[in-house]
Amino acid sequence: MLFDKKVILFDQDASSNTDALTQLANHLHDAGVVTSEYKDAILKREASFSTGLMIQTIGVAIPHCDPDKVVEPQIGFMRLKEPVTFHQMGDNAEIQVKVLFMLALKKSDDQLTMLQKLMALFQNQEAMDAVQKVTSVDEFIDLMKQNEIVK
């Protein structure tokens, strides 16, 4: 399961998008699911191809990088106490992001499929309200199952 390593962090402090990305990538590395090059690859990709999205009332980011930096498929989740500035995917406008879903997937096809599932989640206001309020890992995983992000 994509959240089985429980890299699910609630109400974290981050001083910038780089800080948030670094924290989450380090947690994935500590869980043994990504290589030591993963963090640098995430930061480099984010600098070139922004992953921020403004959806309804909240900014989200979906950082990811090439599958060769992934040991075991996993998704890391981080909700920040206070939003940090990311650039909007596609147009580079600055947006305030409070939720990150960091993808560590081994196949490009899996990445595309997961991005589509996450976009459906982001368009569900009730689910996104729940993402902002959930306080336990089990509740979060149940929410992801209900929204077909994981089985």
Side-chain angles (χ1 to χ4, degrees):
M1 191 172 88
L2 290 173
F3 289 102
D4 68 336
K5 298 297 182 196
K6 297 185 173 49
V7 180
I8 300 167
L9 309 170
F10 302 117
D11 304 322
Q12 300 294 298
D13 287 311
S15 58
S16 65
N17 68 358
T18 301
D19 185 24
L21 292 167
T22 298
Q23 287 183 48
L24 195 47
N26 285 341
H27 278 277
L28 286 169
H29 183 258
D30 292 347
V33 298
V34 296
T35 68
S36 57
E37 295 90 31
Y38 182 83
K39 178 184 71 172
D40 289 341
I42 283 283
L43 294 173
K44 184 177 179 184
R45 189 178 192 294
E46 190 67 35
S48 302
F49 302 102
S50 304
T51 62
L53 289 170
M54 193 66 212
I55 49 127
Q56 297 157 36
T57 59
I58 187 172
V60 299
I62 321 168
H64 52 283
C65 66
D66 293 332
D68 66 335
K69 311 288 187 288
V70 176
V71 175
E72 182 182 329
Q74 195 73 199
I75 297 176
F77 172 81
M78 177 185 275
R79 183 178 67 212
L80 298 168
K81 272 188 202 169
E82 298 297 326
V84 295
T85 303
F86 272 75
H87 288 100
Q88 173 96 4
M89 194 183 297
D91 69 10
N92 226 23
E94 288 189 351
I95 61 169
Q96 295 302 302
V97 166
K98 194 164 180 179
V99 171
L100 291 84
F101 285 87
M102 186 173 279
L103 306 185
L105 303 173
K106 287 188 78 68
K107 298 180 194 158
S108 296
D109 290 350
D110 292 347
Q111 203 157 280
L112 181 59
T113 300
M114 182 52 62
L115 288 169
Q116 291 168 336
K117 287 180 179 183
L118 287 171
M119 293 307 288
L121 173 73
F122 299 159
Q123 291 168 7
N124 178 338
Q125 185 63 50
E126 186 178 320
M128 289 309 294
D129 288 346
V131 164
Q132 293 178 73
K133 294 175 185 159
V134 67
T135 56
S136 82
V137 169
D138 290 339
E139 279 181 74
F140 176 82
I141 291 173
D142 286 346
L143 180 62
M144 294 301 103
K145 286 178 182 174
Q146 290 165 19
N147 288 276
E148 300 178 3
I149 302 301
V150 294
K151 292 181 178 171

